[in-house]
Amino acid sequence: MIPLEHILYISGALFAVGIFGLLWQTNLLRLLIAVEAMINGAAFAFVGTAVHFNNVDGYMMFIMILPVAAPAVGIGLAIVLHSARLLKTLDVSKNA
């Protein structure tokens, strides 16, 4: 079995990649991907702890995260497409 520390390191690294993506990217689509990386890092931590402690709570949190993340992608992609058509660019620094 994989140690819990390794699972939490990987999920923390995935969450950190999302944070750095939010701070340094200016492309709207890349910002959306960074938010998804953060959500997936948190979900991976919940599932990893559930496996390690043989508890259902982590799985339940993942089941709660999943219905929130899926529509967020759809709505976010719709906003990105609308912004691209309206502003002719996805660069958020040019539109500020």
Side-chain angles (χ1 to χ4, degrees), residues 2-95:
I2 300 173
L4 179 62
E5 293 84 18
H6 294 172
I7 293 171
L8 293 179
Y9 289 148
I10 292 171
S11 65
L14 189 58
F15 194 83
V17 165
I19 291 284
F20 290 135
L22 278 178
L23 293 177
W24 287 335
Q25 295 296 328
T26 58
N27 189 336
L28 196 57
L29 190 58
R30 290 183 182 177
L31 290 173
L32 180 65
I33 291 170
V35 169
E36 285 302 312
M38 291 172 53
I39 292 172
N40 287 333
F44 187 61
F46 280 123
V47 171
T49 53
V51 168
H52 180 46
F53 292 116
N54 199 14
N55 198 350
V56 180
D57 294 341
Y59 295 119
M60 294 302 291
M61 284 304 296
F62 178 73
I63 291 173
M64 297 295 245
I65 289 172
L66 202 61
V68 172
V73 172
I75 292 169
L77 193 56
I79 291 171
V80 166
L81 289 174
H82 183 71
S83 173
R85 287 182 184 163
L86 186 66
L87 303 172
K88 307 289 188 226
T89 183
L90 291 177
D91 193 5
V92 292
S93 64
K94 291 181 183 176
N95 299 326

